[in-house]
Amino acid sequence: MPSPRSAGLIAAALAMTSIGGVQASNPHMVPVASVRAAAAPKPGSLTALRKQAQEAYKAIADATKTLDAQQKQFNQTNKQLAAKLKELDKANKRLEQIRQPLSGLIESVYQDPSASGMGPLFAKGDGTTTLRAMSDVDHLAVGRNTVLDDAARLLKDKQKLAAEAQDLRSANLLEEAQMSHQVDTLRAKSSDVVKTLTQSLTKLGVDVDQGNRGTQACDPTRVSAAAQFPNGLLPKTSLCPLPQKGRELRADAAIAFADMNLAYSKNFGKQMCVADSYRSLASQQAIYYQRPGFAATPGRSNHGLGLAVDLCGGVQNSGSVQFNWMEANSKRYGFIHPAWAYSNPFEPWHWEYDPKLGASL
């Protein structure tokens, strides 16, 4: 993470720490009179817009998870629906099975008229045939009553299953429609905030589409995608340009820096001086081998994550008015001067964006 400063610059920075009495011996001390603290980010600031966009995006993610869970529930209830319809089909088949022997008995009665009416009482013979026929009629009557009872019960079950199936399907379709509408609304809100944010950056002189990278490069809702790339290998579409030409950072860091740069400009009458920002893996390797001890191991630098800047214009000198302003105000925008940069190695110019701190603003 160390900066590729020139030997003269480093010597000057070290010399600044050897003078000034107590102030030089404790670089953490900030002379109150020499620094004018910036006001906290206003509701319409870039930081506020960035947070609104990220909150909307998080709400979309949460709603999408809920929708996915609802879809799983929908699939589960569809299985329940299929099971109920299967039960319904079995009930119909069972009813048909019960009706079948009854139909046979009825058919046999119609085929043997002697088994009905008064005929059996005057039939010839020992009466065995007549008694059998009358027994069949009695069995028919009992069977008819049983079939009617079963039919009534099965019909009631059938109606209940059909109603339950309809209720399940209606409830699922309604909930799915409501959740889809909620997600669409959140997406529209997030899109509007990102659009406003992009327009605000453009008004500050940021060429968001620099090098045809696309405006999505400054979309803070895409930082999770940028975090998936290896250190030093972030694509242009994941790096947002800074107001300083040729410099770039990850979207959330770039937006926070642009806001901090605006406050700095109001205090000092000029923009912040940026000596370095995002650093590719190849650049980090070159600096590491050219200046051993003054650059982090390639693949481990916060520069390679698009989260670090090396500043100039006075900030590189510990104890300067510009450095003290940064110490007093940088955290308001999510930037910190890491503890190691105070001593090992000493790099007053190196500042990093802390995503957790930025998210808490």
Side-chain angles (χ1 to χ4, degrees), residues 100-347:
Q100 191 62 41
L102 181 60
S103 297
L105 285 172
I106 293 173
E107 184 178 354
S108 67
V109 170
Y110 277 110
Q111 289 177 351
D112 185 5
S114 66
S116 62
M118 298 296 290
L121 298 176
F122 302 101
K124 296 180 180 180
D126 59 6
T128 300
T129 301
T130 300
L131 290 173
R132 183 180 293 113
M134 292 179 70
S135 175
D136 288 343
V137 172
D138 290 340
H139 180 69
L140 174 61
V142 174
R144 182 195 65 180
N145 293 334
T146 301
V147 169
L148 289 175
D149 290 341
D150 287 345
R153 179 177 55 79
L154 288 171
L155 180 60
K156 185 177 180 180
D157 289 345
K158 178 180 177 180
Q159 292 172 340
K160 181 181 178 182
L161 287 169
E164 288 177 353
Q166 184 61 37
D167 288 344
L168 281 171
R169 184 160 183 79
S170 298
N172 282 333
L173 290 174
L174 178 61
E175 289 186 29
E176 185 178 27
Q178 289 174 337
M179 287 301 303
S180 294
H181 177 70
Q182 182 180 352
V183 171
D184 289 342
T185 301
L186 289 169
R187 283 176 178 158
K189 177 183 177 181
S190 177
S191 179
D192 289 343
V193 173
V194 170
K195 184 177 180 181
T196 301
L197 183 56
T198 302
Q199 292 172 343
S200 298
L201 287 171
T202 301
K203 289 180 180 179
L204 292 177
V206 177
D207 183 6
V208 295
D209 192 25
Q210 186 182 108
N212 296 319
R213 70 186 67 203
T215 57
Q216 72 273 11
C218 292
D219 183 349
T221 67
R222 293 169 53 88
V223 295
S224 57
Q228 302 302 314
F229 291 97
N231 190 303
L233 296 177
L234 274 65
K236 285 290 183 182
T237 53
S238 292
L239 292 167
C240 179
L242 300 183
Q244 290 76 4
K245 188 175 181 180
R247 304 302 178 188
E248 55 195 5
L249 291 174
R250 204 176 77 174
D252 50 348
I255 293 167
F257 183 87
D259 223 4
M260 183 169 65
N261 179 70
L262 189 60
Y264 183 95
S265 299
K266 289 180 179 179
N267 190 81
F268 292 103
K270 59 181 179 180
Q271 294 194 65
M272 302 179 78
C273 175
V274 182
D276 205 358
S277 53
Y278 168 73
R279 195 179 291 161
S280 69
L281 185 60
S283 297
Q284 187 68 27
Q285 288 174 334
I287 294 172
Y288 181 76
Y289 291 117
Q290 291 171 6
R291 302 290 302 248
F294 285 91
T297 303
R300 295 186 178 181
S301 170
N302 271 1
H303 282 286
L305 298 176
L307 298 175
V309 289
D310 288 341
L311 303 178
C312 41
V315 179
Q316 76 277 13
N317 298 320
S318 178
S320 67
V321 175
Q322 294 85 356
F323 180 87
N324 291 342
W325 186 93
M326 282 294 295
E327 278 200 321
N329 296 283
S330 64
K331 289 183 179 180
R332 297 174 186 269
Y333 304 94
F335 277 85
I336 62 170
H337 188 55
W340 62 261
Y342 281 105
S343 58
N344 187 30
F346 178 57
E347 294 188 10

